[in-house]
Amino acid sequence: MKLTIKPQKGLGKIEIELSAELWSEIKGLSERYGVPAEKVVEIALTGEFRKQEGDLEELEKKVGELEGKVWKLEKEYAPLRFKAYGLSEDNKILAIELSGLIAENNQLRRFLKLPLRRDPELRKLISYYMR
């Protein structure tokens, strides 16, 4: 694998030949930390490594505990979200039915030659629930 490093300004560039083993290590680090392979090489060349703060095993243990708490909360709130979704769908159906009834009422008013009722607030409410 041939790696070309170009400066941000100027014409000078460096070309390096990397072995397949080294390139696979760089790709592995890239995937592990979720950064582009070029950034891994840049960090390695400039020496911008972060110092490890605290005990890694202790931090992983804390992360595991926090994940457990998150899943516990997820179990508690999943049924509530499901019910809220069901209610929002029910509201949408009721808004559609109400819109149909209003249209039917207006047709009857036209047939009976009565003045039409325009209720913009009710229309806003219906459009809100139909979203």
Side-chain angles (χ1 to χ4, degrees):
M1 170 76 194
K2 192 176 209 178
L3 176 68
T4 304
I5 302 170
K6 297 179 186 177
Q8 291 179 355
K9 293 183 180 179
L11 299 174
K13 65 179 178 180
I14 302 170
E15 291 182 356
I16 302 170
E17 189 67 36
L18 298 175
S19 67
E21 180 183 334
L22 181 58
W23 183 248
S24 67
E25 282 291 323
I26 290 171
K27 283 298 235 183
L29 286 171
S30 167
E31 291 170 3
R32 181 176 176 189
Y33 294 107
V35 295
E38 295 79 18
K39 185 70 175 169
V40 172
V41 173
E42 180 184 328
I43 290 172
L45 291 175
T46 58
E48 293 178 11
F49 301 108
R50 289 186 181 165
K51 301 290 184 208
Q52 184 176 337
E53 298 175 9
D55 186 24
L56 188 60
E57 287 134 14
E58 182 181 328
L59 292 173
E60 286 176 348
K61 189 172 125 181
K62 286 182 181 178
V63 166
E65 290 172 6
L66 289 174
E67 272 184 355
K69 289 179 182 177
V70 165
W71 286 114
K72 184 180 177 185
L73 289 172
E74 178 69 24
K75 286 179 192 175
E76 288 179 23
Y77 291 110
L80 293 175
R81 279 200 318 266
F82 180 74
K83 287 178 184 175
Y85 173 76
L87 290 174
S88 71
E89 290 299 308
D90 289 346
N91 284 344
K92 190 182 290 187
I93 291 169
L94 290 172
I96 292 169
E97 287 180 14
L98 181 60
S99 178
L101 291 173
I102 289 172
E104 187 178 335
N105 191 6
N106 283 339
Q107 280 296 103
L108 291 172
R109 287 184 154 279
R110 276 193 199 106
F111 180 73
L112 296 173
K113 296 183 174 128
L114 295 174
L116 297 177
R117 289 188 189 158
R118 296 190 186 344
D119 194 358
E121 290 184 23
L122 186 59
R123 295 277 179 195
K124 285 181 189 176
L125 192 61
I126 289 172
S127 68
Y128 171 79
Y129 282 111
M130 289 181 74
R131 278 190 270 144

